[in-house]
Amino acid sequence: EYVQRLPTGLVRLSDKSVIKDPDQQIQHVIGLVLSKFEEFGSAFQVLRYCKQREILLPRRHGNGVGPDNVRWRRPSEATISAILTNPAYAGAFVHGRRTSDPQRQSPGRRTPVMVRRPMEEWQCLIQDAYPAYISWTQYLANQARLSDNTPRYMESTDKGRGAPREGAALLQGLVTCGLCGHRM
């Protein structure tokens, strides 16, 4: 069986079974990030919440389970995003979320360019492979919410609500014309 590195919050035992991290503080912080996203609906709001309350996020280094292998770091967009987008927290084993793209390879670059693939292109998805912090349904809802939050103001096929991030208008990108449906 293929064994991949687990995210912080999950631990592989010597018999290759996977459990939630025995450190209750790690479990609590991972669960807090996921529950606050469900409450706020925005990764930025979760980041803001953690920064305001000076909540540190765990990062496991090495393969050990003890407290010596955990580094507590200040929250960042990348860390919050990594927790929210990792299907392992929903109990799923996934392979092929990121693959190399030969078309984007540049001469002289030693490592291939890795790109994120949509869920339909993942090579392997096995649900209930790990103990879950959230359900698979909640994971899918989180991904839809994250996608909905993405700014896509200029796309003609836009289905999301993302703000355009430019200008001084109060409801810019959120108000639509009652006649034609275009964003104002």
Side-chain angles (χ1 to χ4, degrees):
E1 289 185 12
Y2 177 71
V3 175
Q4 65 183 186
R5 184 176 174 157
L6 296 170
T8 302
L10 295 174
V11 175
R12 190 176 316 280
L13 300 176
S14 58
D15 65 355
K16 300 205 178 174
S17 64
V18 176
I19 62 169
K20 285 186 179 180
D21 197 302
D23 187 331
Q24 292 296 314
Q25 187 175 6
I26 292 174
Q27 284 188 36
H28 177 72
V29 172
I30 299 292
L32 179 72
V33 168
L34 294 165
S35 67
K36 288 299 172 184
F37 180 76
E38 188 174 353
E39 179 182 337
F40 298 141
S42 163
F44 180 75
Q45 291 297 329
V46 174
L47 175 62
R48 187 180 196 184
Y49 176 87
C50 291
K51 283 187 173 184
Q52 286 175 344
R53 286 160 181 78
E54 298 180 2
I55 296 171
L56 300 178
L57 299 179
R59 181 78 177 166
R60 188 162 293 287
H61 292 276
N63 294 327
V65 179
D68 295 340
N69 294 329
V70 177
R71 306 283 187 266
W72 292 90
R73 307 271 186 212
R74 291 175 31 158
S76 67
E77 286 183 64
T79 308
I80 297 291
S81 177
I83 292 170
L84 295 174
T85 59
N86 196 326
Y89 292 117
F93 169 87
V94 171
H95 181 70
R97 281 186 353 168
R98 291 181 197 96
T99 59
S100 61
D101 186 358
Q103 295 177 341
R104 296 178 63 185
Q105 186 67 26
S106 57
R109 185 179 171 113
R110 294 178 59 171
T111 58
V113 176
M114 301 298 279
V115 294
R116 289 180 188 238
R117 300 288 181 197
M119 191 179 303
E120 302 79 42
E121 294 180 19
W122 292 352
Q123 295 172 354
C124 178
L125 169 62
I126 302 171
Q127 295 178 22
D128 300 322
Y130 306 133
Y133 282 85
I134 59 173
S135 69
W136 183 252
T137 305
Q138 184 60 48
Y139 172 78
L140 294 176
N142 288 354
Q143 300 319 295
R145 188 71 177 260
L146 286 168
S147 177
D148 195 35
N149 290 346
T150 304
R152 292 184 296 256
Y153 183 69
M154 300 306 283
E155 292 180 17
S156 60
T157 61
D158 180 24
K159 302 272 190 265
R161 301 177 313 149
R165 309 278 197 256
E166 298 170 6
L170 179 64
L171 296 174
Q172 159 178 322
L174 300 175
V175 176
T176 57
C177 175
L179 296 175
C180 66
H182 282 89
R183 292 184 183 215
M184 303 173 87

